[in-house]
Amino acid sequence: MSVTEGVVPAIRILVGRYEVGELIGRGGMSDVHVGTDNRLGRRVAIKLLKPSLAADPVFRTRFRREAQDAAKMAHPTIVRIFDAGEEMVTDATGAQVHQPFIIMEFVDGRLLKDIISAGPLDPAEATRIAAQVLVALEYSHRAGVVHRDIKPGNIMLTATGQVKVMDFGIARAVSDSSANLAETSSIVGTAQYFSPEQARGETVDARTDLYSTGIVLFEMLTGRAPFRGDNPVAIAYQHVNQAPVPPSSANPKVSPALDAVVLRSLAKDPFDRFQSAHEFRSDLELAAAGEVPQHSKSATNDFQATLFGVNPSATADSEATLRRLAVATEARAARTQNRPPVAWIWAGIVFMAVVIVAVIFWTLNLAPTRLTDAVAIEVPAVAGQSWEDGSALLTSLELTPQRFSEISNSVDEGDIIGTDPQPGTNVSPGQIIKVFVSSGKTPVAVPDVRNMLEATARAGIEARGLTPGSTTLDYSPSVAKDVVINTNPAAGSLLREGDTVDLIVSNGLVNVPSVVGMDAGPASAALNALQLQVKVITNGRCGGGKVDQQSLPPGDQQQKAEITIRVCAG
């Protein structure tokens, strides 16, 4: 790090609260900066969306609503949104424009797209990451939020391997605005990760996220996306019309079981895919264990086979379906079965009424609580407890706690952040409960602030999320006054966010020793080591070659001062 003395960069403050720091990422729709929430004193990530997006008032309205919905989600696998809004800024032409911004949880880690760029991942690691992405989607889908832009650029891995999915709700805000697709193609979904229904411009649901997750899993296993082309239109066409190849064709390490899971997730028809993130994750975990998931034809597909005389698989869009439904009544097959006698109809009605009354009577007289108690256990709230206490409580309830470490700036090390499933969920006895335990605050390396002015060094330490501590003045023959000599702990040492770093600063002085009585050579060497300007004169009135006088007294003296020593003649 280099700092120009005397130059103080302008500090940008958003809405009088958020201090915008250095740029840490750049995307098609935004720039991401590290920042500080001055009101709460915490480190955040600030996403500044392009002002051109806010030219559409519909976007601004939807953006605020979707950001509010996304901010309600709190889960270890989802990057939290703390705040969102817009600010008026001056563009290159001098005009005042709206600048939307998002204040997010700061995650110290790497984007999955950067990890994939180094080559295919080990299948075990790829399935682990995909499973955590599906945990995030399972949570968001229950909250009614569809991501719509799952891709490696929206997935981060922390230093401990925790997956964090970001940008929930933002894609919907953009795609639902009046901006055209050409302007927002980099935002509403990257073509390589489109679902077929997105490519056709149809209404999407949670199964779109599962298709995109399948694309990401394919890319992690092979190092490339299943569909590639010269332009987004060519890629979108392949999503709709071309079957994907098994990942094992590009990576022999991929098992047949994993092939089956990936290919099912990439089915063109949403009803042929996994119907929920939980179902996808369950099959993925089976495949990771080497077991090929078995699936019978779903009841949904059987129901779909004939709907009012229409086969949906034979109709590519809603217009074709309507045309099939509009066929004249005469063209349909004539009914061949005779209507049953009226007496039988009334007998059936009476019988059903008796059955209904009997069921109601039985339900009202059913012994309460014991039926539920026999088949389900409610997950207790253990957040804030120590791992030892929380795991003991879960074990006593016949549940199986499984520990996962996660960095947390708000929960003490060793205490529980949360569980999956969440508290209040009814589960079966023996169910594995994932317990997320705090591994402490974010690890931060002490920055190298040597040879900086003290004020500049303190600002650099604060920018890393550390706390500047005490200042100790010390002697230095070369470091100027008020400039940092060293830090304690030293640069590069790993601390936790908020830990203290003390400064050792030059006082601009050297401690001159007494060299009287020393031989001329050692005396000169000792003074030269202090970078003093040494001048030697000879005293012919004495002998022995020793120093008999020095011009500067021992003690504190200015750096690079002149000193004369008188040496007796040899």
Side-chain angles (χ1 to χ4, degrees):
M1 179 186 293
S2 61
V3 177
T4 304
E5 294 184 13
V7 178
V8 179
I11 298 177
R12 181 178 178 186
I13 305 293
L14 284 175
V15 294
R17 175 175 178 178
Y18 302 108
E19 183 177 321
V20 182
E22 62 179 314
L23 180 70
I24 57 176
R26 189 183 298 275
M29 74 169 182
S30 63
D31 295 333
V32 182
H33 298 255
V34 65
T36 302
D37 182 346
N38 291 327
R39 185 177 301 172
L40 298 179
R42 66 182 173 188
R43 200 175 189 190
V44 295
I46 301 176
K47 175 168 285 193
L48 300 177
L49 282 78
K50 290 184 177 179
S52 59
L53 291 173
D56 182 0
V58 176
F59 166 77
R60 295 201 299 273
T61 301
R62 293 188 183 279
F63 170 73
R64 284 192 294 269
R65 185 177 69 244
E66 294 298 334
Q68 289 169 357
D69 289 343
K72 296 174 184 177
M73 294 190 295
H75 194 272
T77 57
I78 296 176
V79 173
R80 288 292 307 276
I81 292 180
F82 298 134
D83 196 4
E86 58 187 53
E87 187 174 64
M88 298 301 295
V89 297
T90 305
D91 65 9
T93 65
Q96 290 287 311
V97 296
H98 294 272
Q99 165 113 78
F101 65 85
I102 307 169
I103 308 300
M104 306 182 299
E105 169 191 1
F106 177 80
V107 179
D108 188 6
R110 295 177 64 197
L111 286 172
L112 179 58
K113 70 174 184 179
D114 296 332
I115 297 174
I116 294 176
S117 64
L121 280 65
D122 181 77
E125 177 65 4
T127 54
R128 185 192 71 83
I129 293 172
Q132 288 202 38
V133 172
L134 291 167
V135 169
L137 293 177
E138 190 175 346
Y139 177 84
S140 71
H141 293 167
R142 285 201 302 265
V145 177
V146 179
H147 192 290
R148 298 160 70 113
D149 194 18
I150 292 294
K151 60 183 179 181
N154 279 336
I155 300 169
M156 291 194 72
L157 267 73
T158 68
T160 61
Q162 173 69 48
V163 170
K164 293 277 189 178
V165 183
M166 55 188 171
D167 278 2
F168 276 92
I170 307 308
R172 178 180 176 85
V174 177
S175 62
D176 283 352
S177 74
S178 61
N180 62 55
L181 183 60
E183 293 172 339
T184 61
S185 61
S186 63
I187 303 167
V188 300
T190 306
Q192 287 183 325
Y193 308 96
F194 268 164
S195 67
E197 51 268 32
Q198 280 178 300
R200 290 192 294 261
E202 298 173 353
T203 302
V204 302
D205 57 24
R207 291 170 295 185
T208 279
D209 286 347
L210 305 186
Y211 182 94
S212 300
T213 305
I215 297 285
V216 172
L217 177 56
F218 186 103
E219 189 172 357
M220 286 193 292
L221 293 170
T222 64
R224 64 174 181 83
F227 302 118
R228 295 175 293 177
D230 297 331
N231 55 66
V233 175
I235 299 174
Y237 177 85
Q238 294 177 57
H239 280 295
V240 175
N241 297 286
Q242 184 173 315
V245 299
S248 59
S249 63
N251 183 359
K253 294 182 180 179
V254 179
S255 66
L258 206 48
D259 272 343
V261 171
V262 173
L263 293 179
R264 186 183 181 202
S265 70
L266 300 182
K268 306 299 182 188
D269 186 343
F271 287 100
D272 290 336
R273 289 179 216 147
F274 297 103
Q275 298 301 293
S276 69
H278 175 76
E279 183 186 9
F280 191 167
R281 180 163 61 92
S282 297
D283 278 16
L284 188 61
E285 290 172 350
L286 283 175
E291 182 178 344
V292 179
Q294 300 296 325
H295 295 281
S296 60
K297 190 175 181 182
S298 69
T300 307
N301 284 340
D302 292 339
F303 172 74
Q304 275 243 95
T306 304
L307 179 63
F308 300 110
V310 178
N311 183 354
S313 63
T315 55
D317 52 35
S318 57
E319 285 189 54
T321 304
L322 290 173
R323 287 197 296 270
R324 290 287 300 278
L325 289 172
V327 174
T329 305
E330 300 82 21
R332 300 182 184 175
R335 181 182 179 94
T336 59
Q337 183 178 359
N338 293 325
R339 182 177 299 171
V342 174
W344 284 105
I345 295 176
W346 281 107
I349 293 173
V350 171
F351 176 77
M352 291 303 299
V354 171
V355 170
I356 292 170
V357 171
V359 169
I360 293 173
F361 178 81
W362 176 77
T363 303
L364 292 176
N365 289 275
L366 189 66
T369 71
R370 295 313 304 166
L371 182 61
T372 302
D373 293 345
V375 297
I377 299 172
E378 183 176 305
V379 177
V382 294
Q385 299 183 24
S386 67
W387 158 250
E388 291 76 14
D389 293 344
S391 61
L393 175 58
L394 293 169
T395 302
S396 69
L397 294 175
E398 298 184 18
L399 300 175
T400 306
Q402 188 174 7
R403 178 170 180 162
F404 291 85
S405 296
E406 183 180 340
I407 294 171
S408 174
N409 293 330
S410 57
V411 179
D412 292 339
E413 184 175 358
D415 286 352
I416 296 172
I417 302 171
T419 60
D420 181 22
Q422 294 185 331
T425 304
N426 287 328
V427 297
S428 303
Q431 170 78 34
I432 293 177
I433 306 297
K434 295 182 178 180
V435 182
F436 299 95
V437 181
S438 172
S439 59
K441 296 182 178 179
T442 305
V444 181
V446 177
D448 189 352
V449 296
R450 291 174 294 181
N451 298 317
M452 294 183 186
L453 289 171
E454 181 182 357
T456 304
R458 285 181 171 272
I461 292 171
E462 287 180 342
R464 288 292 183 88
L466 300 172
T467 303
S470 63
T471 298
T472 302
L473 297 178
D474 200 359
Y475 299 101
S476 173
S478 57
V479 179
K481 183 179 180 181
D482 297 329
V483 174
V484 176
I485 301 172
N486 212 335
T487 57
N488 184 24
S493 301
L494 282 180
L495 301 179
R496 293 288 183 180
E497 199 169 81
D499 285 354
T500 300
V501 178
D502 296 328
L503 299 175
I504 303 170
V505 177
S506 172
N507 59 11
L509 303 173
V510 292
N511 188 12
V512 177
S514 173
V515 295
V516 175
M518 294 176 60
D519 290 336
S524 295
L527 297 175
N528 284 326
L530 297 176
Q531 299 187 16
L532 298 172
Q533 300 180 41
V534 182
K535 183 179 179 181
V536 181
I537 61 175
T538 303
N539 183 4
R541 298 179 180 178
C542 60
K546 297 186 181 294
V547 177
D548 72 335
Q549 186 178 354
Q550 62 186 69
S551 61
L552 293 178
D556 295 350
Q557 302 294 342
Q558 293 297 319
Q559 295 170 330
K560 304 186 185 302
E562 292 185 0
I563 183 170
T564 301
I565 58 175
R566 191 173 67 181
V567 181
C568 292

